Amino acid sequence: MADTDDLREARDFAGPRTTTAGGFHVKGAQAQDWGLQNRLSRIFRRDTGRTVMLAFDHGYFLGPMAGLERLDATIAPLVPDADAIMMTRGALRTSIPPHSEAGIVLRASGGPSVLRDLSDEHLALDIEDAVRLNAAALAIQVFIGAEHESRSVRNLAALVDAGQRHGIAVLGVTAVGKDMVRDARYFRLATRISAEMGAHVVKTYYVEQGFETVTAGCPVPIIVAGGKKLPELDALTMAYRSIQEGAAGVDMGRNIFQSEHPAAMLAAVRAVVHDQVKPEEAYELFRGLAADSASA
């Protein structure tokens, strides 16, 4: 067993990784099979290496939260402007048109509702159903530091094994309990464990201090969770800083579908992520598109 008595703080990160190896545009995937690389290319744009993912999988433990009461009415119209969409298989089959071109990221873990301990999750999707649904990736929560940490890591490993057999990527989501410290040291630990266990992409939270060490220390792409609803300028600022500090994209839900003008907000986020437009300029884009929509 490794000695844990004299763990030293890691510090030699040399800044965020900005290039990929082997000529493939997704970090850490240069040695993967053709099929898996093709699926990753449905998520990450080849010209930028980044993604804007629209998340609306919240219903699997929260039910019909604000903005997600009618997926067919509020979410389906946004899908054409997202690079990838993250949802449950039930939401995909019932509410998303089959001609959609966005990369499909399916929620693969679940179990407890918001009324119980969320870390008590299990695998909740068969790999054959993911193949039937033409999934590009499968998303699973990893609860580092929570009561059911070991099970969640085992779930991740099992999903990676299944994904590798079928050429489907796995997105490890670093779940953070309300009592956990959200700092760079914790996220370096949680993201690195997910990548070391085989996740092809990791989703985590942005922190203002040291986030560049989180992205530098993770050998696969990190995408940033939007988290709770923020004022639009604040959300765009978080997205911009994330990209500047090494993230390969954002996975936003509430900051898009709970905006008064979701389509305008999605367009502004795309400008930040793919065109590196500064937050203030993106916010003006949002306001202009919102005004046009209101007057239409």
Side-chain angles (χ1 to χ4, degrees):
M1 180 177 176
D3 186 353
T4 60
D5 291 335
D6 185 30
L7 291 178
R8 300 183 181 183
E9 181 73 10
R11 57 181 179 269
D12 187 16
F13 293 99
R17 300 183 188 187
T18 57
T19 60
T20 55
F24 188 60
H25 66 285
V26 179
K27 183 170 75 171
Q30 64 275 1
Q32 295 291 349
D33 293 333
W34 188 95
L36 202 149
Q37 288 187 345
N38 178 264
R39 287 184 170 92
L40 286 170
S41 294
R42 299 183 207 164
I43 299 171
F44 296 94
R45 269 178 39 179
R46 187 172 184 271
D47 58 339
T48 65
R50 295 188 287 272
T51 187
V52 173
M53 189 179 295
L54 175 63
F56 51 98
D57 58 327
H58 308 65
Y60 89 99
F61 69 100
L62 286 172
M65 67 182 300
L68 297 183
E69 298 91 344
R70 284 281 306 277
L71 298 177
D72 58 329
T74 59
I75 296 298
L78 300 174
V79 170
D81 293 319
D83 299 312
I85 52 176
M86 180 176 171
M87 81 254 89
T88 63
R89 57 180 166 178
L92 179 64
R93 282 191 165 108
T94 61
S95 307
I96 305 304
H99 59 261
S100 300
E101 297 181 359
I104 301 300
V105 181
L106 289 180
R107 168 64 66 177
S109 62
S113 75
V114 70
L115 303 178
R116 305 296 294 270
D117 177 7
L118 291 178
S119 74
D120 190 18
E121 280 199 340
H122 300 268
L123 287 176
L125 179 85
D126 186 88
I127 192 67
E128 292 184 359
D129 207 23
V131 172
R132 277 191 289 271
L133 290 169
N134 199 26
L138 303 174
I140 182 170
Q141 299 216 107
V142 183
F143 295 86
I144 301 302
E147 180 179 355
H148 299 285
E149 172 187 279
S150 293
R151 184 201 297 160
S152 72
V153 172
R154 186 170 68 247
N155 290 342
L156 169 64
L159 193 63
V160 169
D161 287 340
Q164 290 289 164
R165 286 195 299 271
H166 294 272
I168 299 178
V170 172
L171 167 65
V173 182
T174 61
V176 180
K178 61 182 179 180
D179 297 324
M180 294 181 187
V181 176
R182 297 191 181 198
D183 60 15
R185 185 171 186 174
Y186 172 80
F187 288 125
R188 287 198 299 267
L189 174 68
T191 58
R192 184 62 172 261
I193 287 173
S194 297
E196 295 266 358
M197 294 304 296
H200 307 94
V201 186
V202 177
K203 174 180 171 180
T204 196
Y205 291 92
Y206 176 76
V207 290
E208 293 188 359
Q209 299 296 322
F211 184 71
E212 70 280 359
T213 68
V214 179
T215 58
C218 186
V220 299
I222 282 181
I223 59 175
V224 170
K228 65 181 181 180
K229 176 68 174 71
L230 301 171
E232 279 75 9
L233 180 57
D234 291 348
L236 293 169
T237 299
M238 179 180 68
Y240 180 81
R241 291 176 178 172
S242 299
I243 298 301
Q244 296 305 306
E245 295 173 27
V250 298
D251 184 20
M252 286 193 171
R254 285 170 284 182
N255 279 297
I256 292 175
F257 63 70
Q258 288 185 348
S259 172
E260 290 294 323
H261 302 280
M265 186 58 180
L266 179 54
V269 172
R270 288 182 63 85
V272 168
V273 171
H274 290 304
D275 301 324
Q276 300 194 61
V277 170
K278 292 187 176 179
E280 296 79 9
E281 185 179 348
Y283 182 61
E284 290 306 313
L285 172 64
F286 163 76
R287 292 183 60 189
L289 291 173
D292 291 344
S293 175
S295 63

